[in-house]
Amino acid sequence: MEQASAALVEAPAEKIGLMGEMMAEAGKRFGHVKTATADAELLQSLSERLLKLIGNKRPDEAPTYITVPASAYLDPAHFAREKAAIFDRMPILACLSSDIAHAGDYRRVQELDTPIIVTRTRKGEVKAFVNGCRHRGAALVYDDAGNAKGGFLCPYHGWAYTDEGDLKGIACPEAFEGLDKKEHGLVQVPCEERHGLVFVSPRADAPLDLDTFLGPDLDRELALWQFDKVTGARSEPVALKGNWKLVYDTFLESYHFAQAHKNNLATFYVPNVNTVDRFGKHQRIAVANRTLPDHVAAHAPEERQLQDHLLIAYVLFPGIVLINSPQILEVFRIFPQSVDTTIVQHSCYSKLPAEMNGNDGFFEMVWQSAHNIVMNEDFPFGVTTAHRALASGSIKELIFGRNELAVQNNYAVIRETVDAAG
Ligand code: FES
Ligand SMILES: [Fe+2]
């Protein structure tokens, strides 16, 4: 990974693509496509706050800078406590509803200790199972995605399960005389679909309570964006040599835009200016397009199309980042594998009406550009090279400024969650 990252850092800027120009072009080409019904009051208040912050050239800020010791990124015992308190207990985003839109569609979640299949049954419900046969444990599903409308057939000895996970057939049943089939369906994993997002528990024995997890305010707000209507997913897994918190940190501030993304995002968004709001452990971060001040100045309140001039990201704890721009929804799912290895699942969904998705390969270009940006301009700086410097023992701590408020909040949430778990 280190080698690959080093090469990526030196990738010429033109290869990265001008995301900002493309997004501006999308605005012209598609006009004000109303694909998400945002709450006018929310957009108004975020815009007002952002305009003030732009005037002051500062984001929402923490009272002081903080430091985080290198051991937080390197110590296996520290990592084990985090994993037990956070990633073994809290809901995980398995996929979006649109990834399993049809009966029988399934997705495999491989990055947790428990191998999981999430599927839509013929009744239209979403269910999750442990990807392990009740006979001798073989996995039923070997692809990341597919369709199993007829149910799941174990490839080892041929036990068959319905799409609901019930054991319906045992090969050579006389050998298992007395075994109650009803007791030997696939092991279910708690799972719930909400606002176009499919959440699962990370373990079969971990309860899932989305009302408590999201809280009423965030629950209401996520409903506004109609994530259940997105289409056209592109995704790519990224394996990174670096602690999971370094990956998380790359998404939580706009301070790095002016330098790291000077050729793309910074030409489109105002760098180092963003709002930060907490919803319990979760956060909302809003960034202004450079067009926002002129748009507000030129239009009466009732004529404004504020959502075309804002980027509103939701950071769900732990490890779920939803970057919500007018035309696309970009999703990052962070899965720690060990103290120094992390898998990120990067996906991009279109919010444009289906007939526009193929328009000049626009969506494909946006995906490539978005993926190149994180691969070339975020992860090499924030994750791989930073982890290497920490691991060398020569850098004793990292420093997070007042302008990195959401990053600071996230460290506080991690600490509180680990402490509460005892
Ligand atoms: S392990 Fe599945 S049928 Fe034997
Ligand atoms: Fe970035």
Side-chain angles (χ1 to χ4, degrees):
M1 276 321 293
E2 287 295 327
Q3 284 242 314
S5 302
L8 287 170
V9 175
E10 284 151 26
E14 62 267 24
K15 270 211 180 148
I16 291 161
L18 293 175
M19 178 79 158
E21 278 182 20
M22 271 195 280
M23 296 305 276
E25 173 63 19
K28 275 187 251 146
R29 196 180 312 180
F30 301 124
H32 301 298
V33 178
K34 285 292 150 233
T35 52
T37 316
D39 181 284
E41 227 172 276
L42 169 67
L43 297 180
Q44 185 60 36
S45 95
L46 288 175
S47 296
E48 280 169 15
R49 285 169 59 193
L50 282 165
L51 288 173
K52 270 200 204 115
L53 294 171
I54 291 169
N56 296 333
K57 296 195 168 66
R58 305 185 77 148
D60 280 346
E61 285 179 307
T64 174
Y65 77 85
I66 63 162
T67 60
V68 175
S71 60
Y73 308 95
L74 301 174
D75 175 11
H78 186 97
F79 174 74
R81 282 195 299 278
E82 288 176 344
K83 180 172 175 293
I86 300 170
F87 287 92
D88 289 350
R89 294 188 187 198
M90 298 191 66
I92 301 291
L93 182 66
C95 60
L96 265 62
S97 298
S98 68
D99 291 321
I100 47 170
H102 306 108
D105 284 354
Y106 66 80
R107 288 279 164 151
R108 184 174 67 155
V109 182
Q110 276 291 80
E111 300 86 357
L112 304 166
D113 288 350
T114 305
I116 294 174
I117 313 168
V118 183
T119 187
R120 189 172 301 280
T121 68
R122 277 173 294 184
K123 289 186 194 145
E125 291 164 357
V126 166
K127 286 203 165 186
F129 310 114
V130 174
N131 188 14
C133 179
R134 291 300 300 276
H135 175 220
R136 282 170 50 191
L140 299 148
V141 152
Y142 292 78
D143 300 322
D144 288 332
N147 186 281
K149 198 182 270 176
F152 298 94
L153 178 70
C154 180
Y156 199 7
H157 310 93
W159 285 28
Y161 301 86
T162 68
D163 63 335
E164 303 266 342
D166 299 325
L167 177 60
K168 68 177 177 190
I170 294 179
C172 192
E174 59 278 16
F176 298 89
E177 206 180 313
L179 185 89
D180 185 357
K181 280 205 278 206
K182 283 196 211 66
E183 297 292 312
H184 291 84
L186 296 176
V187 176
Q188 296 221 19
V189 179
C191 171
E192 189 180 333
E193 181 176 31
R194 194 174 290 197
H195 311 316
L197 308 171
V198 179
F199 294 95
V200 289
S201 287
R203 305 167 52 93
D205 58 5
L208 185 73
D209 175 358
L210 287 188
D211 288 336
T212 306
F213 174 68
L214 294 173
D217 293 342
L218 183 58
D219 193 31
R220 186 192 134 276
E221 194 164 311
L222 288 177
L224 298 172
W225 297 105
Q226 302 184 358
F227 294 146
D228 55 338
K229 303 234 167 39
V230 300
T231 57
R234 285 296 318 266
S235 356
E236 208 59 66
V238 182
L240 292 165
K241 177 97 173 134
N243 182 264
W244 69 279
K245 296 187 293 298
L246 297 173
V247 181
Y248 219 153
D249 296 345
T250 63
F251 301 111
L252 301 182
E253 40 84 7
S254 60
Y255 177 33
H256 71 287
F257 282 21
Q259 185 62 41
H261 303 314
K262 58 180 174 294
N263 296 314
N264 41 71
L265 299 184
T267 66
F268 201 56
Y269 299 110
V270 184
N272 201 30
V273 170
N274 56 263
T275 58
V276 176
D277 294 285
R278 283 187 66 167
F279 297 84
K281 292 179 194 290
H282 316 299
Q283 304 191 72
R284 177 183 61 217
I285 302 170
V287 173
N289 284 26
R290 288 185 179 276
T291 52
L292 180 71
D294 286 350
H295 179 75
V296 167
H299 295 85
E302 62 281 5
E303 289 169 359
R304 288 174 194 158
Q305 305 284 350
L306 292 174
Q307 73 190 54
D308 293 346
H309 303 270
L310 298 170
L311 179 79
I312 300 172
Y314 295 91
V315 183
L316 307 189
F317 186 84
I320 304 165
V321 182
L322 307 169
I323 301 181
N324 180 36
S325 68
Q327 292 91 6
I328 60 167
L329 172 66
E330 208 178 337
V331 179
F332 294 91
R333 299 182 297 136
I334 299 168
F335 297 99
Q337 304 297 295
S338 70
V339 69
D340 62 359
T341 54
T342 306
I343 293 179
V344 188
Q345 289 285 355
H346 181 202
S347 311
C348 203
Y349 299 83
S350 175
K351 293 180 168 186
L352 303 171
E355 64 274 15
M356 290 182 177
N357 282 343
N359 193 330
D360 292 338
F362 170 75
F363 178 63
E364 181 64 24
M365 282 196 315
V366 170
W367 156 252
Q368 286 299 339
S369 180
H371 193 62
N372 286 343
I373 286 173
V374 290
M375 294 300 287
N376 293 307
E377 300 180 351
D378 286 306
F379 297 152
F381 305 141
V383 184
T384 47
T385 60
H387 192 96
R388 188 170 177 187
L390 288 163
S392 73
S394 42
I395 289 190
K396 307 291 185 206
E397 63 189 17
L398 299 185
I399 308 166
F400 297 93
R402 295 185 59 194
N403 56 350
E404 297 171 290
L405 172 60
V407 193
Q408 292 200 21
N409 287 343
N410 212 41
Y411 279 97
V413 170
I414 293 166
R415 197 173 51 244
E416 286 158 19
T417 309
V418 171
D419 288 350

